[in-house]
PDB file of all heavy atoms in Angstrom:
ATOM      1  N   ASN S   1     -11.005  18.112   7.119  1.00 91.00           N
ATOM      2  CA  ASN S   1     -10.297  19.412   7.167  1.00 91.00           C
ATOM      3  C   ASN S   1      -9.341  19.485   8.347  1.00 91.00           C
ATOM      4  O   ASN S   1      -9.396  20.395   9.144  1.00 91.00           O
ATOM      5  CB  ASN S   1     -11.332  20.549   7.265  1.00 91.00           C
ATOM      6  CG  ASN S   1     -10.724  21.855   6.841  1.00 91.00           C
ATOM      7  OD1 ASN S   1      -9.714  21.879   6.155  1.00 91.00           O
ATOM      8  ND2 ASN S   1     -11.350  22.934   7.240  1.00 91.00           N
ATOM      9  N   TYR S   2      -8.439  18.495   8.422  1.00 93.00           N
ATOM     10  CA  TYR S   2      -7.470  18.428   9.519  1.00 93.00           C
ATOM     11  C   TYR S   2      -6.324  19.403   9.265  1.00 93.00           C
ATOM     12  O   TYR S   2      -5.529  19.229   8.372  1.00 93.00           O
ATOM     13  CB  TYR S   2      -6.926  16.981   9.668  1.00 93.00           C
ATOM     14  CG  TYR S   2      -8.008  15.964   9.854  1.00 93.00           C
ATOM     15  CD1 TYR S   2      -8.384  15.107   8.834  1.00 93.00           C
ATOM     16  CD2 TYR S   2      -8.660  15.876  11.076  1.00 93.00           C
ATOM     17  CE1 TYR S   2      -9.365  14.162   9.026  1.00 93.00           C
ATOM     18  CE2 TYR S   2      -9.633  14.935  11.313  1.00 93.00           C
ATOM     19  CZ  TYR S   2     -10.004  14.082  10.275  1.00 93.00           C
ATOM     20  OH  TYR S   2     -10.984  13.149  10.479  1.00 93.00           O
ATOM     21  N   THR S   3      -6.263  20.430  10.069  1.00 91.00           N
ATOM     22  CA  THR S   3      -5.259  21.460   9.830  1.00 91.00           C
ATOM     23  C   THR S   3      -3.877  21.130  10.369  1.00 91.00           C
ATOM     24  O   THR S   3      -2.924  21.763   9.948  1.00 91.00           O
ATOM     25  CB  THR S   3      -5.735  22.790  10.487  1.00 91.00           C
ATOM     26  OG1 THR S   3      -5.951  22.550  11.908  1.00 91.00           O
ATOM     27  CG2 THR S   3      -7.021  23.298   9.872  1.00 91.00           C
ATOM     28  N   ASN S   4      -3.779  20.159  11.239  1.00 92.00           N
ATOM     29  CA  ASN S   4      -2.468  19.796  11.827  1.00 92.00           C
ATOM     30  C   ASN S   4      -1.936  18.458  11.290  1.00 92.00           C
ATOM     31  O   ASN S   4      -0.927  17.952  11.781  1.00 92.00           O
ATOM     32  CB  ASN S   4      -2.533  19.717  13.345  1.00 92.00           C
ATOM     33  CG  ASN S   4      -2.803  21.072  13.931  1.00 92.00           C
ATOM     34  OD1 ASN S   4      -2.121  22.038  13.599  1.00 92.00           O
ATOM     35  ND2 ASN S   4      -3.812  21.190  14.798  1.00 92.00           N
ATOM     36  N   LEU S   5      -2.641  17.874  10.310  1.00 94.00           N
ATOM     37  CA  LEU S   5      -2.214  16.583   9.771  1.00 94.00           C
ATOM     38  C   LEU S   5      -1.909  16.688   8.274  1.00 94.00           C
ATOM     39  O   LEU S   5      -2.565  17.424   7.555  1.00 94.00           O
ATOM     40  CB  LEU S   5      -3.323  15.546   9.939  1.00 94.00           C
ATOM     41  CG  LEU S   5      -3.790  15.266  11.366  1.00 94.00           C
ATOM     42  CD1 LEU S   5      -4.915  14.243  11.369  1.00 94.00           C
ATOM     43  CD2 LEU S   5      -2.627  14.804  12.249  1.00 94.00           C
ATOM     44  N   GLU S   6      -0.933  15.924   7.841  1.00 94.00           N
ATOM     45  CA  GLU S   6      -0.587  15.826   6.429  1.00 94.00           C
ATOM     46  C   GLU S   6      -0.566  14.340   6.078  1.00 94.00           C
ATOM     47  O   GLU S   6       0.199  13.573   6.696  1.00 94.00           O
ATOM     48  CB  GLU S   6       0.778  16.457   6.163  1.00 94.00           C
ATOM     49  CG  GLU S   6       1.250  16.277   4.745  1.00 94.00           C
ATOM     50  CD  GLU S   6       2.689  16.777   4.556  1.00 94.00           C
ATOM     51  OE1 GLU S   6       3.198  17.545   5.389  1.00 94.00           O
ATOM     52  OE2 GLU S   6       3.289  16.380   3.536  1.00 94.00           O
ATOM     53  N   PHE S   7      -1.362  13.921   5.125  1.00 96.00           N
ATOM     54  CA  PHE S   7      -1.339  12.533   4.709  1.00 96.00           C
ATOM     55  C   PHE S   7      -0.043  12.284   3.930  1.00 96.00           C
ATOM     56  O   PHE S   7       0.252  12.992   2.994  1.00 96.00           O
ATOM     57  CB  PHE S   7      -2.594  12.175   3.882  1.00 96.00           C
ATOM     58  CG  PHE S   7      -2.593  10.747   3.539  1.00 96.00           C
ATOM     59  CD1 PHE S   7      -2.830   9.771   4.501  1.00 96.00           C
ATOM     60  CD2 PHE S   7      -2.286  10.317   2.264  1.00 96.00           C
ATOM     61  CE1 PHE S   7      -2.797   8.428   4.196  1.00 96.00           C
ATOM     62  CE2 PHE S   7      -2.245   8.995   1.961  1.00 96.00           C
ATOM     63  CZ  PHE S   7      -2.516   8.049   2.931  1.00 96.00           C
ATOM     64  N   ALA S   8       0.693  11.213   4.303  1.00 96.00           N
ATOM     65  CA  ALA S   8       1.981  10.958   3.668  1.00 96.00           C
ATOM     66  C   ALA S   8       2.033   9.658   2.908  1.00 96.00           C
ATOM     67  O   ALA S   8       2.875   9.513   2.015  1.00 96.00           O
ATOM     68  CB  ALA S   8       3.064  10.940   4.786  1.00 96.00           C
ATOM     69  N   GLY S   9       1.132   8.702   3.207  1.00 97.00           N
ATOM     70  CA  GLY S   9       1.221   7.471   2.462  1.00 97.00           C
ATOM     71  C   GLY S   9       0.472   6.332   3.102  1.00 97.00           C
ATOM     72  O   GLY S   9      -0.255   6.486   4.102  1.00 97.00           O
ATOM     73  N   PHE S  10       0.710   5.137   2.557  1.00 98.00           N
ATOM     74  CA  PHE S  10       0.020   3.933   2.988  1.00 98.00           C
ATOM     75  C   PHE S  10       1.040   2.896   3.412  1.00 98.00           C
ATOM     76  O   PHE S  10       2.130   2.813   2.862  1.00 98.00           O
ATOM     77  CB  PHE S  10      -0.821   3.354   1.860  1.00 98.00           C
ATOM     78  CG  PHE S  10      -1.948   4.224   1.441  1.00 98.00           C
ATOM     79  CD1 PHE S  10      -1.802   5.133   0.391  1.00 98.00           C
ATOM     80  CD2 PHE S  10      -3.165   4.189   2.102  1.00 98.00           C
ATOM     81  CE1 PHE S  10      -2.866   5.958   0.008  1.00 98.00           C
ATOM     82  CE2 PHE S  10      -4.229   5.002   1.732  1.00 98.00           C
ATOM     83  CZ  PHE S  10      -4.071   5.875   0.672  1.00 98.00           C
ATOM     84  N   TYR S  11       0.670   2.076   4.375  1.00 95.00           N
ATOM     85  CA  TYR S  11       1.512   0.939   4.717  1.00 95.00           C
ATOM     86  C   TYR S  11       0.691  -0.346   4.557  1.00 95.00           C
ATOM     87  O   TYR S  11      -0.502  -0.364   4.779  1.00 95.00           O
ATOM     88  CB  TYR S  11       2.174   1.050   6.082  1.00 95.00           C
ATOM     89  CG  TYR S  11       1.321   0.831   7.284  1.00 95.00           C
ATOM     90  CD1 TYR S  11       1.220  -0.462   7.862  1.00 95.00           C
ATOM     91  CD2 TYR S  11       0.619   1.862   7.886  1.00 95.00           C
ATOM     92  CE1 TYR S  11       0.470  -0.692   8.991  1.00 95.00           C
ATOM     93  CE2 TYR S  11      -0.168   1.618   8.998  1.00 95.00           C
ATOM     94  CZ  TYR S  11      -0.231   0.369   9.558  1.00 95.00           C
ATOM     95  OH  TYR S  11      -1.001   0.128  10.675  1.00 95.00           O
ATOM     96  N   TRP S  12       1.375  -1.369   4.140  1.00 97.00           N
ATOM     97  CA  TRP S  12       0.782  -2.678   3.909  1.00 97.00           C
ATOM     98  C   TRP S  12       0.669  -3.354   5.252  1.00 97.00           C
ATOM     99  O   TRP S  12       1.647  -3.677   5.911  1.00 97.00           O
ATOM    100  CB  TRP S  12       1.667  -3.465   2.967  1.00 97.00           C
ATOM    101  CG  TRP S  12       1.063  -4.693   2.389  1.00 97.00           C
ATOM    102  CD1 TRP S  12       1.493  -5.983   2.608  1.00 97.00           C
ATOM    103  CD2 TRP S  12      -0.034  -4.808   1.503  1.00 97.00           C
ATOM    104  NE1 TRP S  12       0.715  -6.876   1.907  1.00 97.00           N
ATOM    105  CE2 TRP S  12      -0.237  -6.161   1.220  1.00 97.00           C
ATOM    106  CE3 TRP S  12      -0.893  -3.852   0.938  1.00 97.00           C
ATOM    107  CZ2 TRP S  12      -1.244  -6.576   0.375  1.00 97.00           C
ATOM    108  CZ3 TRP S  12      -1.885  -4.294   0.080  1.00 97.00           C
ATOM    109  CH2 TRP S  12      -2.052  -5.654  -0.178  1.00 97.00           C
ATOM    110  N   HIS S  13      -0.545  -3.595   5.682  1.00 95.00           N
ATOM    111  CA  HIS S  13      -0.814  -4.114   7.040  1.00 95.00           C
ATOM    112  C   HIS S  13      -0.385  -5.548   7.229  1.00 95.00           C
ATOM    113  O   HIS S  13      -0.017  -5.967   8.322  1.00 95.00           O
ATOM    114  CB  HIS S  13      -2.307  -3.946   7.344  1.00 95.00           C
ATOM    115  CG  HIS S  13      -2.651  -4.213   8.769  1.00 95.00           C
ATOM    116  ND1 HIS S  13      -3.079  -5.447   9.199  1.00 95.00           N
ATOM    117  CD2 HIS S  13      -2.597  -3.415   9.873  1.00 95.00           C
ATOM    118  CE1 HIS S  13      -3.311  -5.397  10.505  1.00 95.00           C
ATOM    119  NE2 HIS S  13      -3.032  -4.199  10.935  1.00 95.00           N
ATOM    120  N   HIS S  14      -0.421  -6.345   6.185  1.00 94.00           N
ATOM    121  CA  HIS S  14      -0.084  -7.750   6.268  1.00 94.00           C
ATOM    122  C   HIS S  14       1.427  -7.862   6.551  1.00 94.00           C
ATOM    123  O   HIS S  14       2.235  -7.318   5.796  1.00 94.00           O
ATOM    124  CB  HIS S  14      -0.427  -8.407   4.904  1.00 94.00           C
ATOM    125  CG  HIS S  14      -0.869  -9.805   4.998  1.00 94.00           C
ATOM    126  ND1 HIS S  14      -1.860 -10.238   5.823  1.00 94.00           N
ATOM    127  CD2 HIS S  14      -0.463 -10.907   4.334  1.00 94.00           C
ATOM    128  CE1 HIS S  14      -2.063 -11.530   5.667  1.00 94.00           C
ATOM    129  NE2 HIS S  14      -1.242 -11.966   4.800  1.00 94.00           N
ATOM    130  N   GLU S  15       1.817  -8.541   7.624  1.00 93.00           N
ATOM    131  CA  GLU S  15       3.194  -8.510   8.086  1.00 93.00           C
ATOM    132  C   GLU S  15       4.119  -9.553   7.441  1.00 93.00           C
ATOM    133  O   GLU S  15       5.305  -9.615   7.782  1.00 93.00           O
ATOM    134  CB  GLU S  15       3.221  -8.659   9.585  1.00 93.00           C
ATOM    135  CG  GLU S  15       2.595  -7.498  10.313  1.00 93.00           C
ATOM    136  CD  GLU S  15       2.661  -7.599  11.806  1.00 93.00           C
ATOM    137  OE1 GLU S  15       3.086  -8.640  12.357  1.00 93.00           O
ATOM    138  OE2 GLU S  15       2.285  -6.613  12.473  1.00 93.00           O
ATOM    139  N   ALA S  16       3.602 -10.362   6.533  1.00 93.00           N
ATOM    140  CA  ALA S  16       4.428 -11.334   5.794  1.00 93.00           C
ATOM    141  C   ALA S  16       3.869 -11.488   4.431  1.00 93.00           C
ATOM    142  O   ALA S  16       2.680 -11.212   4.166  1.00 93.00           O
ATOM    143  CB  ALA S  16       4.442 -12.681   6.521  1.00 93.00           C
ATOM    144  N   MET S  17       4.694 -11.903   3.489  1.00 93.00           N
ATOM    145  CA  MET S  17       4.213 -12.104   2.120  1.00 93.00           C
ATOM    146  C   MET S  17       3.569 -13.493   2.053  1.00 93.00           C
ATOM    147  O   MET S  17       4.043 -14.448   2.640  1.00 93.00           O
ATOM    148  CB  MET S  17       5.393 -12.094   1.132  1.00 93.00           C
ATOM    149  CG  MET S  17       5.941 -10.708   0.908  1.00 93.00           C
ATOM    150  SD  MET S  17       4.737  -9.606   0.225  1.00 93.00           S
ATOM    151  CE  MET S  17       4.886  -8.230   1.357  1.00 93.00           C
ATOM    152  N   GLU S  18       2.432 -13.522   1.397  1.00 86.00           N
ATOM    153  CA  GLU S  18       1.760 -14.819   1.157  1.00 86.00           C
ATOM    154  C   GLU S  18       2.588 -15.529   0.079  1.00 86.00           C
ATOM    155  O   GLU S  18       3.328 -14.938  -0.683  1.00 86.00           O
ATOM    156  CB  GLU S  18       0.338 -14.575   0.676  1.00 86.00           C
ATOM    157  CG  GLU S  18      -0.529 -13.914   1.704  1.00 86.00           C
ATOM    158  CD  GLU S  18      -0.809 -14.796   2.918  1.00 86.00           C
ATOM    159  OE1 GLU S  18      -0.916 -16.025   2.731  1.00 86.00           O
ATOM    160  OE2 GLU S  18      -0.876 -14.253   4.015  1.00 86.00           O
ATOM    161  N   ARG S  19       2.432 -16.804   0.019  1.00 81.00           N
ATOM    162  CA  ARG S  19       3.213 -17.615  -0.944  1.00 81.00           C
ATOM    163  C   ARG S  19       2.448 -17.871  -2.238  1.00 81.00           C
ATOM    164  O   ARG S  19       2.659 -18.836  -2.890  1.00 81.00           O
ATOM    165  CB  ARG S  19       3.650 -18.925  -0.285  1.00 81.00           C
ATOM    166  CG  ARG S  19       4.572 -18.700   0.875  1.00 81.00           C
ATOM    167  CD  ARG S  19       5.035 -20.005   1.468  1.00 81.00           C
ATOM    168  NE  ARG S  19       5.731 -19.790   2.663  1.00 81.00           N
ATOM    169  CZ  ARG S  19       7.048 -19.744   2.797  1.00 81.00           C
ATOM    170  NH1 ARG S  19       7.776 -19.887   1.737  1.00 81.00           N
ATOM    171  NH2 ARG S  19       7.630 -19.542   3.977  1.00 81.00           N
ATOM    172  N   HIS S  20       1.554 -16.921  -2.585  1.00 78.00           N
ATOM    173  CA  HIS S  20       0.767 -17.071  -3.841  1.00 78.00           C
ATOM    174  C   HIS S  20       1.627 -16.663  -5.009  1.00 78.00           C
ATOM    175  O   HIS S  20       2.481 -15.781  -4.907  1.00 78.00           O
ATOM    176  CB  HIS S  20      -0.457 -16.200  -3.787  1.00 78.00           C
ATOM    177  CG  HIS S  20      -1.398 -16.478  -2.670  1.00 78.00           C
ATOM    178  ND1 HIS S  20      -2.104 -17.675  -2.606  1.00 78.00           N
ATOM    179  CD2 HIS S  20      -1.710 -15.818  -1.566  1.00 78.00           C
ATOM    180  CE1 HIS S  20      -2.831 -17.686  -1.489  1.00 78.00           C
ATOM    181  NE2 HIS S  20      -2.600 -16.575  -0.845  1.00 78.00           N
ATOM    182  N   VAL S  21       1.348 -17.248  -6.111  1.00 75.00           N
ATOM    183  CA  VAL S  21       2.062 -16.937  -7.363  1.00 75.00           C
ATOM    184  C   VAL S  21       1.881 -15.479  -7.719  1.00 75.00           C
ATOM    185  O   VAL S  21       2.785 -14.823  -8.192  1.00 75.00           O
ATOM    186  CB  VAL S  21       1.562 -17.857  -8.507  1.00 75.00           C
ATOM    187  CG1 VAL S  21       2.181 -17.471  -9.830  1.00 75.00           C
ATOM    188  CG2 VAL S  21       1.860 -19.332  -8.171  1.00 75.00           C
ATOM    189  N   ASP S  22       0.703 -14.931  -7.452  1.00 91.00           N
ATOM    190  CA  ASP S  22       0.371 -13.578  -7.879  1.00 91.00           C
ATOM    191  C   ASP S  22       0.733 -12.483  -6.855  1.00 91.00           C
ATOM    192  O   ASP S  22       0.419 -11.320  -7.037  1.00 91.00           O
ATOM    193  CB  ASP S  22      -1.061 -13.432  -8.301  1.00 91.00           C
ATOM    194  CG  ASP S  22      -2.055 -13.663  -7.174  1.00 91.00           C
ATOM    195  OD1 ASP S  22      -1.634 -13.952  -6.031  1.00 91.00           O
ATOM    196  OD2 ASP S  22      -3.261 -13.521  -7.425  1.00 91.00           O
ATOM    197  N   GLU S  23       1.380 -12.835  -5.754  1.00 93.00           N
ATOM    198  CA  GLU S  23       1.642 -11.874  -4.700  1.00 93.00           C
ATOM    199  C   GLU S  23       2.529 -10.708  -5.200  1.00 93.00           C
ATOM    200  O   GLU S  23       2.292  -9.566  -4.905  1.00 93.00           O
ATOM    201  CB  GLU S  23       2.328 -12.543  -3.475  1.00 93.00           C
ATOM    202  CG  GLU S  23       2.270 -11.755  -2.241  1.00 93.00           C
ATOM    203  CD  GLU S  23       0.907 -11.683  -1.582  1.00 93.00           C
ATOM    204  OE1 GLU S  23      -0.074 -12.260  -2.132  1.00 93.00           O
ATOM    205  OE2 GLU S  23       0.786 -11.048  -0.545  1.00 93.00           O
ATOM    206  N   MET S  24       3.545 -11.019  -5.979  1.00 94.00           N
ATOM    207  CA  MET S  24       4.459  -9.985  -6.524  1.00 94.00           C
ATOM    208  C   MET S  24       3.662  -9.053  -7.447  1.00 94.00           C
ATOM    209  O   MET S  24       3.778  -7.835  -7.381  1.00 94.00           O
ATOM    210  CB  MET S  24       5.601 -10.622  -7.270  1.00 94.00           C
ATOM    211  CG  MET S  24       6.678  -9.663  -7.745  1.00 94.00           C
ATOM    212  SD  MET S  24       7.692  -8.976  -6.449  1.00 94.00           S
ATOM    213  CE  MET S  24       8.701 -10.324  -5.995  1.00 94.00           C
ATOM    214  N   GLU S  25       2.821  -9.639  -8.294  1.00 96.00           N
ATOM    215  CA  GLU S  25       2.000  -8.848  -9.234  1.00 96.00           C
ATOM    216  C   GLU S  25       1.041  -7.947  -8.434  1.00 96.00           C
ATOM    217  O   GLU S  25       0.857  -6.785  -8.734  1.00 96.00           O
ATOM    218  CB  GLU S  25       1.214  -9.767 -10.138  1.00 96.00           C
ATOM    219  CG  GLU S  25       0.366  -9.026 -11.146  1.00 96.00           C
ATOM    220  CD  GLU S  25      -0.485  -9.968 -11.988  1.00 96.00           C
ATOM    221  OE1 GLU S  25      -0.381 -11.194 -11.864  1.00 96.00           O
ATOM    222  OE2 GLU S  25      -1.305  -9.454 -12.788  1.00 96.00           O
ATOM    223  N   LEU S  26       0.411  -8.496  -7.402  1.00 96.00           N
ATOM    224  CA  LEU S  26      -0.515  -7.729  -6.561  1.00 96.00           C
ATOM    225  C   LEU S  26       0.160  -6.536  -5.932  1.00 96.00           C
ATOM    226  O   LEU S  26      -0.295  -5.408  -6.055  1.00 96.00           O
ATOM    227  CB  LEU S  26      -1.145  -8.629  -5.495  1.00 96.00           C
ATOM    228  CG  LEU S  26      -1.963  -7.890  -4.431  1.00 96.00           C
ATOM    229  CD1 LEU S  26      -3.225  -7.307  -5.026  1.00 96.00           C
ATOM    230  CD2 LEU S  26      -2.295  -8.795  -3.278  1.00 96.00           C
ATOM    231  N   LEU S  27       1.275  -6.797  -5.261  1.00 97.00           N
ATOM    232  CA  LEU S  27       1.968  -5.729  -4.531  1.00 97.00           C
ATOM    233  C   LEU S  27       2.526  -4.663  -5.467  1.00 97.00           C
ATOM    234  O   LEU S  27       2.456  -3.473  -5.183  1.00 97.00           O
ATOM    235  CB  LEU S  27       3.083  -6.294  -3.644  1.00 97.00           C
ATOM    236  CG  LEU S  27       2.707  -6.658  -2.224  1.00 97.00           C
ATOM    237  CD1 LEU S  27       2.375  -5.439  -1.420  1.00 97.00           C
ATOM    238  CD2 LEU S  27       1.632  -7.655  -2.116  1.00 97.00           C
ATOM    239  N   ASN S  28       3.055  -5.084  -6.615  1.00 97.00           N
ATOM    240  CA  ASN S  28       3.551  -4.085  -7.556  1.00 97.00           C
ATOM    241  C   ASN S  28       2.435  -3.270  -8.172  1.00 97.00           C
ATOM    242  O   ASN S  28       2.582  -2.079  -8.403  1.00 97.00           O
ATOM    243  CB  ASN S  28       4.400  -4.769  -8.657  1.00 97.00           C
ATOM    244  CG  ASN S  28       5.814  -4.998  -8.176  1.00 97.00           C
ATOM    245  OD1 ASN S  28       6.629  -4.097  -8.190  1.00 97.00           O
ATOM    246  ND2 ASN S  28       6.108  -6.218  -7.719  1.00 97.00           N
ATOM    247  N   SER S  29       1.255  -3.865  -8.375  1.00 97.00           N
ATOM    248  CA  SER S  29       0.090  -3.108  -8.851  1.00 97.00           C
ATOM    249  C   SER S  29      -0.379  -2.118  -7.783  1.00 97.00           C
ATOM    250  O   SER S  29      -0.690  -0.952  -8.138  1.00 97.00           O
ATOM    251  CB  SER S  29      -1.041  -4.080  -9.208  1.00 97.00           C
ATOM    252  OG  SER S  29      -0.671  -4.913 -10.272  1.00 97.00           O
ATOM    253  N   VAL S  30      -0.404  -2.536  -6.526  1.00 98.00           N
ATOM    254  CA  VAL S  30      -0.800  -1.635  -5.447  1.00 98.00           C
ATOM    255  C   VAL S  30       0.216  -0.514  -5.335  1.00 98.00           C
ATOM    256  O   VAL S  30      -0.161   0.668  -5.162  1.00 98.00           O
ATOM    257  CB  VAL S  30      -0.992  -2.397  -4.118  1.00 98.00           C
ATOM    258  CG1 VAL S  30      -1.203  -1.440  -2.968  1.00 98.00           C
ATOM    259  CG2 VAL S  30      -2.128  -3.388  -4.233  1.00 98.00           C
ATOM    260  N   SER S  31       1.488  -0.857  -5.457  1.00 98.00           N
ATOM    261  CA  SER S  31       2.563   0.169  -5.377  1.00 98.00           C
ATOM    262  C   SER S  31       2.384   1.243  -6.460  1.00 98.00           C
ATOM    263  O   SER S  31       2.467   2.433  -6.205  1.00 98.00           O
ATOM    264  CB  SER S  31       3.916  -0.512  -5.513  1.00 98.00           C
ATOM    265  OG  SER S  31       4.954   0.444  -5.503  1.00 98.00           O
ATOM    266  N   ARG S  32       2.147   0.781  -7.691  1.00 98.00           N
ATOM    267  CA  ARG S  32       1.910   1.735  -8.798  1.00 98.00           C
ATOM    268  C   ARG S  32       0.674   2.610  -8.522  1.00 98.00           C
ATOM    269  O   ARG S  32       0.701   3.827  -8.787  1.00 98.00           O
ATOM    270  CB  ARG S  32       1.737   0.975 -10.117  1.00 98.00           C
ATOM    271  CG  ARG S  32       3.038   0.482 -10.704  1.00 98.00           C
ATOM    272  CD  ARG S  32       2.901  -0.057 -12.103  1.00 98.00           C
ATOM    273  NE  ARG S  32       2.010  -1.205 -12.205  1.00 98.00           N
ATOM    274  CZ  ARG S  32       2.396  -2.456 -12.005  1.00 98.00           C
ATOM    275  NH1 ARG S  32       3.651  -2.738 -11.692  1.00 98.00           N
ATOM    276  NH2 ARG S  32       1.534  -3.456 -12.115  1.00 98.00           N
ATOM    277  N   LEU S  33      -0.353   2.029  -7.982  1.00 97.00           N
ATOM    278  CA  LEU S  33      -1.569   2.763  -7.619  1.00 97.00           C
ATOM    279  C   LEU S  33      -1.266   3.854  -6.614  1.00 97.00           C
ATOM    280  O   LEU S  33      -1.619   5.027  -6.783  1.00 97.00           O
ATOM    281  CB  LEU S  33      -2.646   1.812  -7.128  1.00 97.00           C
ATOM    282  CG  LEU S  33      -3.924   2.427  -6.588  1.00 97.00           C
ATOM    283  CD1 LEU S  33      -4.660   3.169  -7.731  1.00 97.00           C
ATOM    284  CD2 LEU S  33      -4.811   1.356  -5.985  1.00 97.00           C
ATOM    285  N   VAL S  34      -0.613   3.456  -5.517  1.00 98.00           N
ATOM    286  CA  VAL S  34      -0.256   4.433  -4.455  1.00 98.00           C
ATOM    287  C   VAL S  34       0.660   5.534  -5.018  1.00 98.00           C
ATOM    288  O   VAL S  34       0.422   6.711  -4.772  1.00 98.00           O
ATOM    289  CB  VAL S  34       0.397   3.696  -3.280  1.00 98.00           C
ATOM    290  CG1 VAL S  34       1.012   4.689  -2.283  1.00 98.00           C
ATOM    291  CG2 VAL S  34      -0.616   2.803  -2.565  1.00 98.00           C
ATOM    292  N   HIS S  35       1.669   5.138  -5.770  1.00 98.00           N
ATOM    293  CA  HIS S  35       2.592   6.131  -6.325  1.00 98.00           C
ATOM    294  C   HIS S  35       1.905   7.046  -7.339  1.00 98.00           C
ATOM    295  O   HIS S  35       2.260   8.228  -7.431  1.00 98.00           O
ATOM    296  CB  HIS S  35       3.814   5.439  -6.946  1.00 98.00           C
ATOM    297  CG  HIS S  35       4.706   4.819  -5.929  1.00 98.00           C
ATOM    298  ND1 HIS S  35       5.223   3.561  -6.095  1.00 98.00           N
ATOM    299  CD2 HIS S  35       5.143   5.239  -4.716  1.00 98.00           C
ATOM    300  CE1 HIS S  35       5.933   3.225  -5.023  1.00 98.00           C
ATOM    301  NE2 HIS S  35       5.901   4.256  -4.181  1.00 98.00           N
ATOM    302  N   SER S  36       0.934   6.537  -8.089  1.00 97.00           N
ATOM    303  CA  SER S  36       0.228   7.355  -9.062  1.00 97.00           C
ATOM    304  C   SER S  36      -0.573   8.480  -8.382  1.00 97.00           C
ATOM    305  O   SER S  36      -0.856   9.516  -8.986  1.00 97.00           O
ATOM    306  CB  SER S  36      -0.718   6.521  -9.942  1.00 97.00           C
ATOM    307  OG  SER S  36      -1.871   6.119  -9.180  1.00 97.00           O
ATOM    308  N   LYS S  37      -0.873   8.267  -7.104  1.00 96.00           N
ATOM    309  CA  LYS S  37      -1.588   9.288  -6.338  1.00 96.00           C
ATOM    310  C   LYS S  37      -0.608  10.210  -5.588  1.00 96.00           C
ATOM    311  O   LYS S  37      -1.007  11.110  -4.879  1.00 96.00           O
ATOM    312  CB  LYS S  37      -2.560   8.611  -5.360  1.00 96.00           C
ATOM    313  CG  LYS S  37      -3.654   7.875  -6.131  1.00 96.00           C
ATOM    314  CD  LYS S  37      -4.608   7.128  -5.201  1.00 96.00           C
ATOM    315  CE  LYS S  37      -5.633   6.334  -5.923  1.00 96.00           C
ATOM    316  NZ  LYS S  37      -6.552   7.062  -6.780  1.00 96.00           N
ATOM    317  N   GLY S  38       0.710   9.924  -5.759  1.00 96.00           N
ATOM    318  CA  GLY S  38       1.734  10.772  -5.183  1.00 96.00           C
ATOM    319  C   GLY S  38       2.124  10.502  -3.756  1.00 96.00           C
ATOM    320  O   GLY S  38       2.638  11.391  -3.044  1.00 96.00           O
ATOM    321  N   TYR S  39       1.917   9.262  -3.291  1.00 97.00           N
ATOM    322  CA  TYR S  39       2.209   8.923  -1.888  1.00 97.00           C
ATOM    323  C   TYR S  39       3.214   7.803  -1.770  1.00 97.00           C
ATOM    324  O   TYR S  39       3.491   7.052  -2.711  1.00 97.00           O
ATOM    325  CB  TYR S  39       0.902   8.558  -1.196  1.00 97.00           C
ATOM    326  CG  TYR S  39      -0.037   9.758  -1.126  1.00 97.00           C
ATOM    327  CD1 TYR S  39      -1.082   9.871  -1.978  1.00 97.00           C
ATOM    328  CD2 TYR S  39       0.210  10.775  -0.214  1.00 97.00           C
ATOM    329  CE1 TYR S  39      -1.910  10.978  -1.931  1.00 97.00           C
ATOM    330  CE2 TYR S  39      -0.607  11.901  -0.172  1.00 97.00           C
ATOM    331  CZ  TYR S  39      -1.656  11.986  -1.029  1.00 97.00           C
ATOM    332  OH  TYR S  39      -2.444  13.090  -0.992  1.00 97.00           O
TER     333      TYR S  39
END
């Protein structure tokens, strides 16, 4: 019940992209998830 805070979104803590084949799929899936929640 934080009266002076507004949650605005998420940031990806990992500071570089991994070189995995599925990295683009992973990040786009996470992006869709975050956006589906309105952030």
Side-chain angles (χ1 to χ4, degrees):
N1 200 21
Y2 303 106
T3 58
N4 293 310
L5 302 178
E6 175 187 343
F7 182 72
F10 295 94
Y11 76 93
W12 193 245
H13 189 266
H14 214 51
E15 294 182 353
M17 288 299 129
E18 295 294 325
R19 297 182 189 262
H20 300 292
V21 175
D22 65 357
E23 197 74 358
M24 186 72 72
E25 181 185 356
L26 171 68
L27 268 293
N28 278 279
S29 295
V30 172
S31 178
R32 284 190 297 275
L33 174 64
V34 168
H35 291 135
S36 74
K37 295 177 184 298
Y39 295 101

